[in-house]
Amino acid sequence: MSDANKPLRRSQAWFGRQDRDGFIYRSWLKNRGIPHDQFDGRPVIGICNTYSELTPCNSHFRTLAEQVKIGVWEAGGFPLEFPVMSTGETLMRPTAMLFRNLASMDVEESIRGNPLDGVVLLMGCDKTTPALLMGAASCDLPTIGVSGGPMLNGRYRGGELGSGTGVWQMSEEVRAGRMTQEEFFDAESCMHRSHGHCMTMGTASTMASMVEALGMSLPGNAAIPAVDARRNVLARQSGRRIVDMVKEDLVMSKILTRQAFENAIRVNAAIGGSTNAVIHLLAIAGRIGIELKLADWDELGHRLPCLLDLQPSGRHLMEDFYYAGGLPAVIRELESVIDRNTLTANGRTLWDNSKDAPNWNREVIRSFDAPFKEAAGIAVLRGNLCPDGAVIKPSAATPALLKHTGRAVVFEDSEHMHKRLDDESLDVDENCVLVLKNCGPRGYPGMAEAGNMPLPPKVLRKGITDMVRVSDARMSGTAYGTVVLHVAPEAAAGGPLALVRDGDMVELDVEARRLHLHVSDEELARRRADWQPPPAPATRGWTKLYVEHVQQANLGADMDFLVGKSGAGIPKDNH
């Protein structure tokens, strides 16, 4: 360990010590049978694992972690696995988003406080991916991401059934009286039939694609099915690669450049990605010190076409996407618009990784010149209803509703919505605009996926499947419809959304990027004078801290005291 020719790695501040504390650091690890030569200065690789039986998307991560370890050993590194908080979207209440920032703190402090030279991030379910990237970015060590992969395609009564998307479709059919409860419940086992995250282009698949587009993973990370043996191969190769990344000092800030984020925005448009990518990439950029704004999403991505015919914007599912060529095939189609020189985790550029990628199915991945949908990227709206912005996903919306003015039917919060929506006496028709308040970062709290409000049964029975909906909430990436989200400032923070009343006229014009409340400034001032903020949702613990320090959606909903990286300085000894 005293060989002067060996680089002094971060881990050697622990294991290279020739004193009492060095004895402690090495000896307690030796209880697992680790030989002394493992402490000789070789790269120590942390495997950050979000395995949890409470996060079904990540329930196979023990196997993935073992594959990563083998790869690390093979490359001459020393792997040490550690757990962090796992934020599962499917079970966690009130919303996993409330805990994204907490999990990121867990990741950051676990990395900084331990003898690690590089990190492999195991992530899958919606919030685990941004949480791990945010926490790791705050430390800025050599880091590589390994996503868990999508589950196999759902199959129901001879057809494909997409996770999430099928739930929203079938639940509306039940509420409209066109599907029985028995038929609905029969689909449960047909939808989710293997390990993995949602196999639609929901938030999990979108964020796995963002990891690859940003350059933070090996090529192919986004789409290999969770139960395909090639997912294990990718994990093992990632374990090998992280050892070399440490030797090359290829830290996150060398990969996560402004150009990398611009590429990710363009890729998100091409795949019809989730609106949640907006809020997560803004937060990740803030952690690594890159200036990224909400307006960038419109300027860089809105005019780009959607190339991927995949649910919820299209027909197919992630398994089909992988067989068609996966994300490298999409990136190849974006040759004319992406920055081809951005560096990726394997040491090559994004373009070098994708320039020869085959496309095996033009029905799934369309060409740039003959896309699935034109100008389908995230649109950023402005107006007196959203002074700091709001977003909409045109590729998942009804084209005829992208320019619409209607009478507001207002719900003060999610409970009010659920109580009022099914009331047959509710004065609503398909031309109305459903408005939901107090579901933003502070209001819910945590900004739940409540934005894709169900339609009233009296409207569904007419055969109507979409209405304009406006809220300060998020919606699942698996959802669809003409849904305006992330209205900022949110209602609970005193944004204009808090002042909307039943009967007000709301105008949506996506082409003009306009969301306007047809109420005079004088009347809004009178309403504001009468407005009272909602009571605090908590008086202690994480929720209290979150509500007091969370930023608004247009800034990424990170904590104000976490923006900007702090590096991986070596803390004081523990004795």
Side-chain angles (χ1 to χ4, degrees), residues 10 82 107-114 116 119 135-136 139 141:
R10 187 174 180 273
F82 63 97
V107 173
E108 176 180 350
E109 302 304 337
S110 293
I111 292 173
R112 187 178 294 114
N114 283 292
L116 304 177
V119 185
C139 296
L141 288 177

Side-chain angles (χ1 to χ4, degrees), residues 499-502 504 517 519 522-532:
L499 310 178
V500 183
R501 296 180 179 175
D502 278 335
D504 290 345
L517 180 66
V519 175
E522 294 77 15
E523 173 60 20
L524 289 176
R526 283 191 289 271
R527 294 181 187 182
R528 182 168 297 283
D530 294 334
W531 179 76
Q532 295 292 326

Side-chain angles (χ1 to χ4, degrees), residues 140-182:
D140 198 23
L141 288 177
T143 302
I144 193 168
V146 178
S147 298
M151 66 185 79
L152 297 177
N153 289 358
R155 304 290 298 179
Y156 180 59
R157 298 189 173 183
E160 289 190 333
L161 185 60
S163 51
T165 304
V167 174
W168 317 131
Q169 292 171 337
M170 292 185 296
S171 64
E172 295 289 69
E173 289 292 294
V174 172
R175 296 176 69 248
R178 293 188 291 266
M179 187 178 195
T180 67
Q181 288 279 357
E182 291 75 16

Side-chain angles (χ1 to χ4, degrees), residues 406-438:
R407 173 172 54 86
V409 176
V410 180
F411 308 108
E412 293 300 323
D413 54 33
S414 58
E415 288 80 8
H416 184 225
M417 176 192 70
H418 289 300
K419 289 177 181 177
R420 194 180 185 205
L421 201 62
D422 291 339
D423 186 346
E424 290 294 335
S425 65
L426 179 65
D427 184 13
V428 64
D429 60 35
E430 62 271 24
N431 297 310
C432 291
V433 174
L434 304 183
V435 176
L436 176 62
K437 305 178 183 179
N438 294 304

